[in-house]
Amino acid sequence: MAPKKPGRLVKAALEKAAEKVTELVNPPIPGAPNSEPPQLEEPVEPRGPLTPKPDQTGPETVSPTGAPTGAPKLAKGQQGEHLTTSAGARLYDTDHSLKAGERGPTLLQDHHLREKVMHFDHERIPERVVHARGSGAHGVFVGYGTAANVCKAAFLDDGVETPVFVRFSTVLGSRGSADTVRDTRGFATKFYTREGNFDLVGNNIPVFFIQDGIKFPDIIHAGKPHPDREIPQAQSAHDTFWDFVSTHTEATHHVMWNMSDRAIPRSYRTMEGFGVHTFRLVNEAGETALAKFHWKPKLGVHSLVWEEAQMISGADPDFHRRDLADAIESGAYPQWELAVQVFPDTPRQTFEGIDLLDPTKIVPEELAPVQPVGMLTLNRNPMNFFAETEQVAFHLGNLVPGIDVTDDPLFQARLFSYLDTQLTRLAGPNFNQIPVNRPHAPVNDMFRDGFHQHAVHAGVAPYKPNTLDAGNPFEARAEDRPLVEVAQPLPKAVKVRQAPTSFADHFTQPRLFWQSLSPVEKEHVVRAFTFELGKCYEQAVKERELLVLANVDSVLCAQVAQGLGLPAPTATGRPKKVMPSPALSQVGRTWPTDGRMIGIVVDPGDLDGVRTVREAILADDMVPLLIAPTGGPLDGDSGLVAQRTFLTARSVEFDALLLAGSPPPGADAVPSRDAKAGAADGAVDPRVVLMVQECFRHAKAVGAWRGGRAALEAAGCGTGPGIVLDDDPSSVLKKMTELLGAHRVWERFPAKVS
């Protein structure tokens, strides 16, 4: 190569100096996801990997024994312009698994699917790649017998009691993340039936981001923290998530649910669960039907408000875990009804024009009623978190007679993925011998040896057929009720990486969800989109997602665009008309108040009223927490003890607040002792005032009697919806409990979106 001429060197130096001056005058805002900004449209022209950002560098390229190699630091990174297998073969499609026809089952020979998902399954040691942050409990399921006409599973028979273990979880965060982040929640149930374990592994959202399991590594990689900085933790409010979902629009329906209140539940106890996929059920006569599973909480479906969720993440990151354990310990056992939507098992596997094999679609409950088939009650906390909650292993392939899989391509990939994951996470193939995973039915599987083999096997012939062990174990006959796959006919087809055309509509059901929400819920969706996209660095990502929203609903798009300070684009097509589904809204009904937390600000001069209210709250199966200037007994003979102080209490812990008085500033109500105190220059302790203001702002009911009115006045919340005033403490509690049945006083803040 010819040496550069001196003139060129001088020119290059001057240009570099000018760039440096410009950078000093206009320094870049830190946080850009990559070294180049993205373009609005998805790139299609092949090019090599981007260079790292200026603040990034790789490790020194030395040999395993420390000898310098002289290779550039980028030599260990990804190379080339094209997507390949790990062996270097170029791939033409990574969005569809290889199936027997576009609607057929996924083929075992799909090496790319297996390699991609297998590698993803083993990315974390030892915590779960997804659903790492979890809480669990033991319980019992009692069948109603109402499913007999469609399903022969014995655990659904009338009065049959089946032990269960349930694990709730968030998806994106690590084991140490907070509970109340905006995220999908896992709802996984292990039934220890007499016919073997049945694992119903679902979520609190009935649809998923993707239609084909081969895309699962992509959506999780996009949602997880950025790989360069490992931030943000347990959040979707960042560029990689929105970059993916704005280009992969089949995610739109799940995104709508994730931006709704469903993604910030008040409690695991007030959270719906869904099996997500369509299952095939078989009755005693051998007749089949298609079905979707639902968990309906007896306490109703309730959520936090966004500011409250953020505050809890700092004040009590274990909020949901603590709530579940405390409820069980106090005897307020959480309950859910298991219910099914049933559809005819037709060759097309559709219902009312909805493709039942598409995991991004729901069937509105108004079209297919949800029919209860049993009751789940959680009544026992784990004795050891690691041994039980952490080591429990779920698998969609754990089925029982009467329940079978379908050809949903996400379902098919999960059948491989869950089993594969346990091999690394639980260090070998014998994970079902861990106590929490052991079936409550006889096991004779002929599996031998391997890591952590706890069984001490007798016999010499772990093979079939054999005579040395007298033929044992024997294959089950029809009268023994074996697990038999439904002999489902397959269409004449060719091997393809392709999705059915019925999977192509990505906007009608998100529009259905949006139009089914109440005005206040729509406000929350608008705020969530605005907040999340406002956290993105790249303008092109925001503009691309606005175009997605335009295809969902013009009002939604316009409101979010206004919040982002961007023009609202027009839809690329004419939106289809939809019929709203009232069942999708959380607002408008009343529910039991069992297990709700009631804060009571104590006035030492009126302990009779406090005692009366406290006893009534306990009688109604709610939990009273007394809040006083200091902890300990409130006097010498009442027996009342303060569970919280003005220093330790925060409004987000309570579902409603009662004011038995307006206590003056405590001795520690100074900023140097408690930052919540601010300037303690009023007649009421400023921390009580703050507590009232936060409850008011979060649309919670607040009640007061006699001396408690002054605290309401000091907070500027003396009147309005959800403010209950009376001289009789029992009357205040009664009115406030009625309000609490609706969860929040939403009418306090009228919605702008109709």
Side-chain angles (χ1 to χ4, degrees):
M1 180 181 293
K4 293 183 179 180
K5 296 182 179 179
R8 290 181 180 176
L9 293 174
V10 172
K11 182 179 179 181
L14 290 173
E15 289 175 346
K16 188 172 183 179
E19 291 174 0
K20 188 65 176 177
V21 170
T22 302
E23 182 178 323
L24 291 173
V25 175
N26 301 301
I29 298 174
N34 219 324
S35 57
E36 294 181 19
Q39 60 191 52
L40 181 60
E41 302 295 331
E42 181 180 1
V44 294
E45 193 64 31
R47 58 168 292 177
L50 298 181
T51 58
K53 293 166 58 179
D55 62 309
Q56 298 172 328
T57 186
E60 295 296 332
T61 52
V62 297
S63 75
T65 56
T69 65
K73 293 182 180 180
L74 294 181
K76 289 190 175 182
Q78 301 286 300
Q79 309 293 325
E81 299 177 352
H82 297 94
L83 180 67
T84 72
T85 67
S86 63
R90 292 184 179 180
L91 295 164
Y92 69 93
D93 188 330
T94 192
D95 287 348
H96 305 94
S97 53
L98 189 65
K99 299 182 285 290
E102 64 176 28
R103 297 181 63 76
T106 301
L107 299 178
L108 186 61
Q109 77 171 71
D110 190 349
H111 167 72
H112 176 43
L113 166 68
R114 176 167 169 77
E115 179 185 61
K116 182 177 180 180
V117 177
M118 176 273 295
H119 194 281
F120 168 76
D121 289 341
H122 297 266
E123 285 181 359
R124 298 289 187 277
I125 299 174
E127 74 174 27
R128 292 165 169 88
V129 180
V130 290
H131 298 276
R133 172 72 177 183
S135 305
H138 296 274
V140 63
F141 177 84
V142 180
Y144 291 166
T146 53
N149 61 326
V150 292
C151 183
K152 65 181 181 181
F155 78 96
L156 296 175
D157 289 347
D158 187 22
V160 172
E161 295 189 8
T162 302
V164 300
F165 188 86
V166 176
R167 187 176 187 272
F168 304 103
S169 55
T170 56
V171 173
L172 293 177
S174 67
R175 282 185 61 190
S177 57
D179 278 346
T180 60
V181 295
R182 181 176 294 281
D183 197 0
T184 305
R185 300 305 192 282
F187 193 134
T189 308
K190 185 178 290 290
F191 298 81
Y192 303 97
T193 87
R194 66 172 185 251
E195 299 179 301
N197 286 356
F198 169 53
D199 291 353
L200 183 56
V201 192
N203 291 330
N204 74 322
I205 291 176
V207 293
F208 207 63
F209 285 106
I210 54 175
Q211 295 168 325
D212 193 313
I214 200 170
K215 296 298 293 178
F216 194 69
D218 297 302
I219 178 57
I220 299 303
H221 285 164
K224 283 285 190 177
H226 291 204
D228 54 352
R229 298 186 177 189
E230 187 66 10
I231 55 174
Q233 174 62 241
Q235 298 177 55
S236 56
H238 55 88
D239 289 79
T240 57
F241 174 82
W242 290 100
D243 181 46
F244 177 80
V245 299
S246 63
T247 53
H248 199 66
T249 54
E250 69 188 50
T252 303
H253 193 188
H254 191 113
V255 169
M256 289 294 297
W257 283 75
N258 227 42
M259 293 302 107
S260 76
D261 294 339
R262 300 284 185 143
I264 44 174
R266 157 63 181 85
S267 165
Y268 290 136
R269 299 179 291 127
T270 61
M271 189 177 81
E272 269 186 301
F274 302 91
V276 179
H277 306 291
T278 299
F279 290 75
R280 179 169 279 107
L281 305 183
V282 187
N283 64 14
E284 291 287 2
E287 300 165 328
T288 63
L290 301 179
K292 287 182 176 291
F293 288 105
H294 297 246
W295 288 112
K296 295 290 187 180
K298 296 296 286 183
L299 298 180
V301 186
H302 308 299
S303 298
L304 302 168
V305 297
W306 180 229
E307 184 192 39
E308 189 181 21
Q310 292 176 297
M311 290 171 61
I312 294 171
S313 288
D316 185 4
D318 305 304
F319 184 73
H320 286 153
R321 180 177 290 180
R322 191 186 316 279
D323 174 88
L324 179 66
D326 286 354
I328 293 173
E329 184 178 3
S330 64
Y333 298 143
Q335 290 186 312
W336 293 259
E337 277 194 312
L338 179 64
V340 292
Q341 285 181 297
V342 180
F343 321 102
D345 189 0
T346 63
R348 291 180 59 84
Q349 299 173 94
T350 62
F351 182 79
E352 297 290 340
I354 300 168
D355 195 325
L356 297 176
L357 301 187
D358 183 350
T360 68
K361 303 293 193 298
I362 64 166
V363 177
E365 295 183 19
E366 292 76 16
L367 296 180
V370 175
Q371 305 169 57
V373 297
M375 176 71 76
L376 165 68
T377 303
L378 297 182
N379 55 18
R380 188 160 53 93
N381 285 311
M383 187 166 60
N384 183 281
F385 185 89
F386 178 81
E388 299 171 275
T389 306
E390 191 60 26
Q391 290 196 119
V392 67
F394 297 95
H395 174 38
L396 277 79
N398 286 345
L399 302 167
V400 291
I403 303 176
D404 201 1
V405 305
T406 58
D407 293 336
D408 170 350
L410 177 62
F411 200 159
Q412 293 274 313
R414 292 178 75 193
L415 289 170
F416 158 71
S417 179
Y418 279 67
L419 199 60
D420 181 61
T421 299
Q422 316 303 348
L423 296 177
T424 291
R425 197 175 67 81
L426 297 175
N430 292 310
F431 53 84
N432 274 332
Q433 295 184 19
I434 296 171
V436 73
N437 297 321
R438 292 174 184 172
H440 296 194
V443 174
N444 197 341
D445 54 23
M446 293 198 302
F447 300 153
R448 293 294 186 268
D449 306 338
F451 285 111
H452 308 298
Q453 175 60 256
H454 297 281
V456 181
H457 295 97
V460 296
Y463 52 82
K464 290 289 293 179
N466 78 73
T467 62
L468 295 179
D469 280 348
N472 180 269
F474 296 90
E475 294 173 344
R477 299 160 297 187
E479 58 267 28
D480 299 319
R481 292 178 59 89
L483 177 63
V484 179
E485 297 81 5
V486 174
Q488 187 70 12
L490 298 179
K492 181 180 179 181
V494 295
K495 294 184 293 186
V496 293
R497 291 192 185 274
Q498 176 179 331
T501 54
S502 57
F503 280 33
D505 182 358
H506 299 163
F507 302 122
T508 299
Q509 287 223 333
R511 180 174 173 81
L512 163 68
F513 180 74
W514 166 258
Q515 293 198 356
S516 300
L517 300 181
S518 65
V520 68
E521 290 171 299
K522 289 182 176 179
E523 289 284 358
H524 297 169
V525 171
V526 169
R527 180 177 60 196
F529 271 108
T530 307
F531 177 90
E532 297 253 328
L533 291 170
K535 288 282 190 175
C536 290
Y537 187 94
E538 298 294 355
Q539 201 79 346
V541 172
K542 303 176 188 179
E543 294 174 5
R544 194 187 309 127
E545 181 59 25
L546 285 175
L547 185 57
V548 173
L549 296 183
N551 285 304
V552 174
D553 186 90
S554 59
V555 173
L556 170 62
C557 179
Q559 292 290 320
V560 176
Q562 182 183 54
L564 295 174
L566 295 172
T570 57
T572 56
R574 177 176 292 181
K576 296 180 181 179
K577 289 186 177 181
V578 296
M579 182 66 68
S581 170
L584 297 178
S585 173
Q586 297 180 215
V587 175
R589 288 168 286 177
T590 57
W591 301 92
T593 58
D594 299 26
R596 291 305 186 108
M597 310 291 286
I598 311 298
I600 307 175
V601 175
V602 172
D603 179 1
D606 184 17
L607 293 184
D608 288 339
V610 171
R611 184 184 298 104
T612 299
V613 166
R614 181 179 180 275
E615 291 173 354
I617 291 173
L618 289 170
D620 285 341
D621 294 323
M622 297 185 290
V623 180
L625 293 176
L626 304 186
I627 314 166
T630 60
L634 296 178
D635 63 8
D637 55 5
S638 71
L640 297 176
V641 177
Q643 288 86 26
R644 300 290 186 272
T645 67
F646 299 158
L647 174 68
T648 62
R650 201 66 194 263
S651 68
V652 292
E653 187 177 6
F654 312 116
D655 293 292
L657 188 66
L658 288 173
L659 298 164
S662 301
D668 60 345
V670 291
S672 60
R673 186 70 55 83
D674 187 353
K676 300 193 303 297
D681 55 0
V684 181
D685 191 296
R687 295 162 299 180
V688 173
V689 173
L690 176 63
M691 199 180 309
V692 173
Q693 291 172 335
E694 288 176 346
C695 285
F696 185 88
R697 192 162 67 243
H698 299 156
K700 296 178 181 179
V702 181
W705 62 88
R706 294 194 284 274
R709 297 172 187 261
L712 285 172
E713 296 294 340
C717 308
T719 59
I723 301 298
V724 181
L725 300 173
D726 201 291
D727 290 334
D728 179 17
S730 297
S731 178
V732 171
L733 176 62
K734 181 180 179 181
K735 294 176 184 177
M736 196 184 70
T737 303
E738 292 173 357
L739 292 170
L740 193 56
H743 183 56
R744 306 272 176 166
V745 188
W746 297 120
E747 58 268 30
R748 184 178 292 161
F749 305 109
K752 291 175 57 180
V753 179
S754 62

